[in-house]
Amino acid sequence: VQLQASGGGLVQAGGSLRLSCEVSGLDFRTYAVGWFRRAPGKEREFVAAVGWDSSTYYSDFVKGRFTIARDNTERTVYLPMISLKPEDAAVYYCAASRGISAEGRFYEYWGQGTQVTVSS
């Protein structure tokens, strides 16, 4: 099983990025995929998740700015992010789980992460 996260980069505050997570090696249509992030010196935190049925779940601090969506044909989950803030800077990880959840411990498979840097 592989989860390949991409799309990170350096952006100014107020800018936008779109993260992608390409999944292989499992029945993608039956898995939820979530995004988590970890900033230096901080605990990993939940960002957003999309269920196998395209239901969505967001953390409060990204509602209205981030949108998660899946493309079953491409086996990819997208996370367009707008109005980025310096506090959004972190390594973003995608992960796959049988059920949608904000708890990282329920996710079986993890990608390698992609760095998001937001300058003020």
Side-chain angles (χ1 to χ4, degrees):
V1 176
Q2 285 192 322
L3 288 84
Q4 183 70 41
S6 61
L10 171 63
V11 64
Q12 287 188 329
S16 61
L17 287 171
R18 188 180 76 159
L19 304 186
S20 299
C21 177
E22 185 174 358
V23 181
S24 60
L26 52 73
D27 188 356
F28 181 73
R29 294 169 299 174
T30 66
Y31 275 79
V33 175
W35 285 97
F36 294 78
R37 69 187 187 187
R38 176 172 280 161
K42 294 187 177 182
E43 296 290 317
R44 183 182 64 197
E45 60 183 357
F46 170 74
V47 176
V50 58
W52 63 269
D53 58 353
S54 295
S55 58
T56 57
Y57 186 18
Y58 295 95
S59 63
D60 287 342
F61 55 77
V62 303
K63 283 180 181 177
R65 299 189 300 124
F66 296 7
T67 306
I68 193 168
R70 65 190 297 149
D71 184 329
N72 287 344
T73 301
E74 298 295 327
R75 302 175 61 87
T76 300
V77 169
Y78 300 101
L79 187 72
M81 308 183 293
I82 65 170
S83 303
L84 284 162
K85 306 174 182 180
E87 52 264 42
D88 292 318
V91 177
Y92 283 70
Y93 300 89
C94 59
S97 170
R98 288 289 188 176
I100 193 170
S101 174
E103 298 288 334
R105 60 192 173 97
F106 292 126
Y107 286 77
E108 301 172 58
Y109 306 104
W110 291 80
Q112 85 290 355
T114 185
Q115 177 73 50
V116 172
T117 304
V118 184
S119 63
S120 56

